[in-house]
Structures are given as C-alpha cells and as structure tokens.
Amino acid sequence: MYDFTYHKAASLDDAAKLLASAVDAKPIAGGQSLLPMMKFRLASPSDLVDLGTIAGLDRIEAEGGTLTLGAMCRHGAVCTSEVVQKTLPALAHLAGLIGDPAVRHRGTLGGSLANNDPTADYPAAAVSLGATIVTSKREIAAEDFFTGLFETALEPDEIVVAARFPVPEKAAYEKFRNPASRYAMVGVFVAKFPDVVRVAVTGAGASGVFRVPSFEEALSKDFSADALKGLSISTDGLAGDIHASAEYRAHLVGVMARRAVAAANG
Amino acid sequence: MPAVSMTVNGTPVTADIDPRTLLVQFLREHLRLTGTHVGCDTSQCGACVVHVNGEAVKSCAMLAVQADGAEVLTIEGVAQGDTLHPMQEAFRDNHGLQCGFCTPGMIMTALDMVRRLGPVLDDHTIREELEGNLCRCTGYHNIVKSIAAGARAMAADDTPRRAAAE
Ligand SMILES: Cc1cc2nc3c(=O)[nH]c(=O)nc-3n(C[C@H](O)[C@H](O)[C@H](O)COP(=O)(O)OP(=O)(O)OC[C@H]3O[C@@H](n4cnc5c(N)ncnc54)[C@H](O)[C@@H]3O)c2cc1C
Ligand code: FES
Ligand code: FES
C-alpha cells in the first residue's frame, strides 16, 4: 500500500473540506473494499478522510412509508435492526447475505453504494425500491446515481449521507453467489408498489445494475412467478467470464427473478 | 506520524505509527502478538480475525489508526494464564485443528458467534457463520464440532473473563 495522509473528520462539513483541499483524497468508511484495493495498489489516494468518527451517520428511521438509513450503517446493523426487519425485511435479508460476519461488522451502506461494484448487493435494492441517495450536496435518484462499472454520479468531494428507501407492498431479494468470492453472480431484487413493479439485477451486467422492463411489465399485470414463465433476457451487455458465461447469467436472471417473486408473495 | 492508543488484551498501548499500518501489522510487528495470522491478501481467509470493541473484524482490512481508542482482543487474551478458554479446550478435545494456522481466527470468530447467537448452535448455522474463515487442512468437520462443543461449554462455565470474549 502506498503512503497517504490520514484525517479523522470531525463533522460532515469538515470531511467535505478535507476532501476538496487535497489532490486525490478519498473518504474511508468500513474500508472493506477500499483497503483491499489499496493493498493491491488499484487505489492510491493521497489522503484518506475517515467518516467513522462523524457522529449521527448511522441512524435507522422508518417514517411515513420511507425507511432512511445513514451512510455509516454497517451491514450487520441493518441485518439485525428490528426497524428494518419490520418495515423492509427484504433489505435486512440482503444485508445479511453480504460477505461474512466480520465484513458485515465493518462494511457500510454508503461505502457499498459509492463503490458501485457490479456484483455488489445494495445497488439492486436501491434501484428496485426507487431509493433516493442523499449526499452532502444534493439528492440523487438511485437510477441516476449508478453510472457504470465502479462509477457513480458522486463528485470527488461529495459524500453519501443517507439513502431513503420507499417501503413497498412486497419485495424480495434472491442471490446466486459466486462460489469463490461469494459476491453476487446474479442477484435479483423485486419490489411491488401500488403503481409500479421494479426488477433490478446485479452481478450479471457488464456495467453494473440494470432493470428488466419485460419482467416488470408482466409482473405489473400479474405479480406471480408464473407470469415470468417463458420470458428471458438477451445476453447483450451481460458479463461473461471464467465464473459464468453471459448465457448462464441470463438464465440465472430468470430463475432468480421467479424465486424472488415467489418469496415476495411468501 | 499519527499517535494511536488502544487497549489490547486489557493492556493500554500507545505508539506513533505510519498511517498505512494495518491493525494486523500493528499487533504482530509492533506488539509482537503473533497469534493473529495473515493468510491472504484479499480479506477472505479470516486468519486475522480479532475483536474490536467486542465485535469480530478482519484485522487485515482495518487500519491501526481506525482502532484508535478501541478495546482489542486477540487470541493471546483469551486464555486465563495457563487455563485455556473453553472454546480453545474444545478445539483441542475435538481435533479441530491440524497445522493450526487458521485456528486463532476460527476461535475469535467462534466467540463472536456465541456472543451474537447464544450457546446452542446447530451445524448449519456454524457453517454459514464460518463463511469468512478458510481452513486448508481439516475439511471443517471437526471445526464445526469443536465450535458446537465450545459454545455449550461456555454456557456451563462461570469463570469471569474479559468482556469482549464473553
Ligand atoms: C471478503 C469480502 C466479501 C464481500 N462480499 C460482499 C458481497 O457479497 N456483497 C457486497 O455487496 N459486498 C461485499 N463486500 C464488500 C463490502 O460490502 C464493503 O463493505 C462495501 O463494498 C464497501 O463499504 P465500506 O464501508 O467498507 O467502504 P470503503 O471500503 O471504506 O469505501 C469504498 C469506496 O466508497 C467510498 N466511500 C465510502 N463511504 C462513502 C461515503 N459515505 N460517501 C462517498 N464515498 C464513500 C470510498 O472512498 C471508496 O472509494 C465484501 C468485502 C469483502 C472484504
Ligand atoms: S489475512 Fe485477513 S482475511 Fe486473510
Ligand atoms: S488447521 Fe491448517 S489451515 Fe486450518
């Protein structure tokens, strides 16, 4: 790992100032993606601004049909939170599928969203639920937030503060793990709202999370696993690698979507 | 160089360190607590698991400066003098190790499991919870057996121990 200057941020403002003042500063949250990348020298920030020392960024609140999670909510806390389990159990379930217990003790929601790993779990939930990402500068709709492989709409000195998840009528997440990394080979999050159904897929896309309009249309008419029978997605834009071909991933999208709908109907 | 202070196995320590020092390097190279191992570069093997403020973390995926002010428990702090912790004893009794490289991480993970889930652990739960711990020798079977037995023994044991190990 290359050397860097370490800063403990006292507040959000302080963190934003520190980020803006250095050449190539990056925030560090749980460090579960950033530190391994720095060890491999895939990232070499000049400065690290630690968000872990800022108070109040780990709030969990449910109010008026919206679940708000602070950026520093650890995966383990989301998974075991009674509030999340009660208002959006599919999200608690998703958080419990991330990595392993030690990773879940450190890794955060904000870090996962900002990293936008194409095989990460949270981006699927954010897009399917139509979440709003609240930053230190503005509010960004999830679909505009994720812009490509490890790319987001965030500016270099912009910090994710929270994410607001509208509470759906029904939702579920089904993940087919990559047997080596345990990240998603294919993960499908399905959410049904009174006026819309959204299906978001992670793991399969060559440039990250995407929606499946044909599945959404069928499910809007009939929210049942049977409604997806015979539907499939094209391999265009899907990832194909030593772990799984694009064809296999396309097949898994259908299987995971049907399982997710069945689970949502419980 | 930034100064860090933390309590390691009940003893306060302070040092000036390079900010890129990982917690595992701090423990092994500065404090010479070499029971915590490094088995990979990818944060996947779990040989480096220690407790920070009572929770299991991978000390290769945390900077020492991030543990400033924290309570850290390593495998060296688990036994009481010459008396092994019931979880350590269970690994010995059940042949839960062969080369022993993964064992410190397995035991720290097992203690965290008992803290969160209680002393009655079925095999399936233990295997799921061991997601982040790799063993190249045992085939896991005896590790699972050891953890189940160790957890039961902890429930029966009333020796006072360091908070983080309970
Ligand atoms: C062994 C292992 C297994 C894993 N398995 C999975 C898995 O199955 N599924 C999955 O989804 N993830 C998995 N992860 C990744 C894990 O979820 C990370 O916690 C997460 O991707 C990043 O969160 P973090 O808090 O650790 O962020 P960090 O590593 O601290 O930061 C990641 C990036 O986000 C930026 N950042 C962090 N916080 C903010 C913020 N608030 N605002 C703006 N930018 C910010 C950082 O600058 C950095 O670029 C795994 C990690 C490991 C080590
Ligand atoms: S050395 Fe930390 S997980 Fe392998
Ligand atoms: S006993 Fe050798 S790696 Fe587990």
Side-chain angles (χ1 to χ4, degrees):
Chain A
M1 190 185 300
Y2 291 111
D3 203 7
F4 55 85
T5 308
Y6 173 81
H7 310 267
K8 277 183 186 166
S11 65
L12 213 51
D13 278 354
D14 184 37
K17 272 192 205 115
L18 287 164
L19 287 173
S21 64
V23 205
D24 186 19
K26 261 186 181 297
I28 180 163
Q32 302 301 291
S33 293
L34 185 53
L35 291 174
M37 282 192 285
M38 288 171 67
K39 285 201 263 178
F40 283 120
R41 298 186 170 180
L42 295 171
S44 49
S46 62
D47 294 67
L48 280 189
V49 179
D50 198 339
L51 305 179
T53 44
I54 304 175
L57 281 183
D58 59 354
R59 270 199 290 264
I60 296 180
E61 281 163 0
E63 212 191 292
T66 305
L67 176 70
T68 305
L69 302 181
M72 287 300 293
C73 284
R74 314 269 177 192
H75 309 323
V78 173
C79 161
T80 54
S81 155
E82 275 178 31
V83 175
V84 183
Q85 284 173 357
K86 220 173 96 213
T87 46
L88 231 169
L91 199 63
H93 171 71
L94 175 147
L97 295 175
I98 299 176
D100 56 63
V103 167
R104 293 196 289 273
H105 282 145
R106 296 287 305 156
T108 68
L109 168 69
S112 180
L113 295 174
N115 202 44
N116 194 17
D117 186 309
T119 60
D121 299 299
Y122 270 126
V127 168
S128 170
L129 293 166
T132 302
I133 317 298
V134 183
T135 77
S136 50
K137 300 188 175 191
R138 54 190 164 141
E139 297 189 353
I140 310 172
E143 267 190 278
D144 303 327
F145 181 84
F146 304 109
T147 54
L149 210 59
F150 293 99
E151 295 281 342
T152 66
L154 287 174
E155 289 163 18
D157 62 340
E158 188 170 13
I159 300 161
V160 177
V161 177
R164 287 204 300 261
F165 298 93
V167 177
E169 288 177 350
K170 292 176 178 180
Y173 180 63
E174 286 290 324
K175 174 177 182 177
F176 188 93
R177 285 170 159 160
N178 175 324
S181 75
R182 316 298 274 173
Y183 275 83
M185 185 97 91
V186 167
V188 177
F189 201 106
V190 173
K192 180 183 186 302
F193 291 89
D195 54 336
V196 63
V197 174
R198 283 191 218 94
V199 178
V201 177
T202 188
S207 48
V209 61
F210 63 89
R211 282 172 66 180
V212 189
S214 61
F215 288 15
E216 293 179 357
E217 203 184 300
L219 292 169
S220 314
K221 292 186 195 121
D222 171 16
F223 192 77
S224 74
D226 280 348
L228 296 177
K229 268 206 182 123
L231 292 182
S232 59
I233 68 163
S234 131
T235 52
D236 288 350
L238 295 198
D241 51 32
I242 53 162
H243 304 293
S245 63
E247 288 74 20
Y248 183 46
R249 280 190 167 88
H251 173 71
L252 282 178
V253 170
V255 177
M256 291 298 118
R258 288 196 294 277
R259 284 190 193 168
V261 175
N265 283 329
Chain B
M1 286 205 291
V4 288
S5 300
M6 61 185 93
T7 306
V8 179
N9 301 330
T11 308
V13 294
T14 297
D16 288 323
I17 53 164
D18 191 339
R20 61 184 151 168
T21 311
L22 297 168
L23 179 58
V24 69
Q25 287 174 307
F26 182 68
L27 295 170
R28 289 179 55 86
E29 292 164 26
H30 292 247
L31 304 181
R32 298 280 166 196
L33 294 172
T34 53
T36 303
H37 293 165
V38 178
C40 72
D41 279 334
T42 49
S43 305
Q44 283 176 309
C45 77
C48 64
V49 170
V50 301
H51 296 186
V52 174
N53 294 330
E55 291 183 330
V57 306
K58 290 179 166 174
S59 60
C60 72
M62 184 168 181
L63 298 171
V65 284
Q66 290 182 296
D68 192 28
E71 295 264 348
V72 177
L73 182 75
T74 73
I75 190 69
E76 287 90 347
V78 167
Q80 302 266 299
D82 289 339
T83 312
L84 290 182
H85 186 284
M87 189 59 80
Q88 292 173 303
E89 202 62 68
F91 270 71
R92 186 160 78 171
D93 290 347
N94 292 283
H95 201 81
L97 59 144
Q98 288 178 26
C99 80
F101 193 84
C102 69
T103 316
M106 290 288 177
I107 288 177
M108 299 315 283
T109 299
L111 295 177
D112 184 68
M113 217 182 284
V114 177
R115 171 185 69 84
R116 285 181 291 112
L117 306 174
V120 184
L121 298 169
D122 60 54
D123 283 13
H124 180 74
T125 305
I126 296 171
R127 285 177 189 274
E128 290 267 306
E129 288 282 320
L130 287 181
E131 175 77 57
N133 293 76
L134 300 179
C135 174
R136 301 306 300 267
C137 303
T138 63
Y140 301 98
H141 192 71
N142 285 351
I143 293 179
V144 175
K145 233 167 94 182
S146 304
I147 294 176
R152 281 194 304 273
M154 281 169 71
D157 174 61
D158 50 12
T159 320
R161 292 177 198 283
R162 284 198 187 90
E166 283 173 337

